[in-house]
Amino acid sequence: MELITGENDKGRRLDRILRKALPDHPLPLIHRLLRQGHVLVNGKPGKAQDRLDCGLIIKIPSIKNKNINKNNKNGRKTSAAEINLPPPDIIWQDAGLLAVNKPSGISVHGLNSLDSIVQSFLKDKLPPSLSFKPGPLHRLDKPTSGIVIFSTNIEGARLFSSLMRERKVRKTYLTIVEGIIKKEEIWQDDLVRDREKKKTFVSDLEISGKPAVTKVIPLAVDGNHTLIKAEITTGRTHQIRAQAAFHGYPLAGDIKYGGHRLKNGSLFLHAWKLEFLNFSLEAPIPSFPQISLLNRVLLTKNP
């Protein structure tokens, strides 16, 4: 087997490249081949820790492995539904990053997901790479719409991931909550994730959690509902949903966190704005027919 390194493989360790390029080969097998000198880089035995340049030829002996799935390079079958996926709704592209407007009702990962759509769109548009695969750099819940950032090269992935770790990405959501919020509020809580229940809770004194801060700004009121702008600096799973419920304002339609079921459709939670470095991105605001006044505000007014 012969592999050629690309620009996005530059500076990466040989063992990391092989793990990505050969997902169906067990890791112990890859390391055994390296230890025994069977992996050649430009004709010389390569070491696991070697950092490679682009344009190098890696030769690996053919291995008969019954556990290797031959359906495709990702080790799973491609469904018929994934063959003709629609193009993504692209908001912006620059600096090795791609901003996509995710519709409500589809997952970021998995079969027929936003990731599948973007992968299908980019498959013939990026230079070949053994170790780099474009993918989402953060996630939104299935019912949540709005901006998701994908990487289109390794530099973009490293840049955005670093900004996320340093909390230099400002995220603003729009949502509709039950109850009336009259003035700006700051919610500061420690959150705990229950993986079995797939639900997030505000921790009590007995369980340590991860800090979450949400700035809430009311925009409009309709009966017993408030359209709010929620700005977050942390990115905990279900952060806005869990904090809103804890503070007495569950999202309208969010039955998982105590909201009342709406007649037509799910909750409204939209990742509206994303700001980092000198970029400010906005996702078009979808309509929400369940609450007429707020729907008119969303369609006619820029929050």
Side-chain angles (χ1 to χ4, degrees), residues 95-274:
L97 300 171
L98 181 73
V100 177
N101 186 21
K102 171 190 170 304
S104 175
I106 71 169
S107 300
V108 171
H109 299 278
L111 190 66
N112 298 321
S113 63
L114 185 66
D115 187 30
S116 299
I117 291 172
V118 174
Q119 295 286 349
S120 177
F121 174 76
L122 291 175
K123 65 181 180 181
D124 298 322
K125 297 178 175 62
L126 299 180
S129 173
L130 299 176
S131 60
F132 172 76
K133 177 183 176 182
L137 299 176
H138 60 115
R139 59 170 295 170
L140 296 177
D141 300 334
K142 188 174 182 178
T144 305
S145 58
I147 301 175
V148 178
I149 298 293
F150 283 75
S151 57
T152 58
N153 63 35
I154 192 65
E155 286 80 11
R158 288 170 177 164
L159 170 65
F160 193 81
S161 296
S162 174
L163 293 172
M164 290 282 283
R165 285 194 302 271
E166 297 169 7
R167 296 186 181 178
K168 293 181 179 179
V169 178
R170 183 181 179 186
K171 293 168 277 187
T172 303
Y173 290 73
L174 297 175
T175 188
I176 296 169
V177 300
E178 296 182 3
I180 298 175
I181 300 178
K182 296 182 178 180
K183 60 181 181 180
E184 181 180 308
E185 297 184 8
I186 303 292
W187 296 340
Q188 299 185 59
D189 304 293
D190 288 342
L191 300 184
V192 176
R193 181 68 176 167
D194 188 324
R195 297 190 180 280
E196 291 186 3
K197 296 181 179 180
K198 296 183 179 180
K199 194 172 179 179
T200 300
F201 299 91
V202 174
S203 67
D204 55 28
L205 296 177
E206 297 179 357
I207 305 175
S208 61
K210 295 182 178 180
V213 180
T214 302
K215 180 180 179 181
V216 177
I217 302 171
L219 299 175
V221 173
D222 179 22
N224 193 43
H225 294 93
T226 305
L227 169 68
I228 66 169
K229 181 165 62 173
E231 299 177 358
I232 64 174
T233 53
T234 52
R236 311 303 179 196
T237 303
H238 291 187
Q239 175 174 325
I240 295 173
R241 298 169 67 182
Q243 286 190 286
F246 177 78
H247 289 273
Y249 305 102
L251 273 58
D254 192 2
I255 57 175
K256 187 181 186 77
Y257 285 92
H260 292 86
R261 187 184 298 274
L262 297 173
K263 292 182 180 179
N264 301 305
S266 181
L267 58 92
F268 173 81
L269 181 58
H270 182 62
W272 170 54
K273 183 179 271 190
L274 201 66

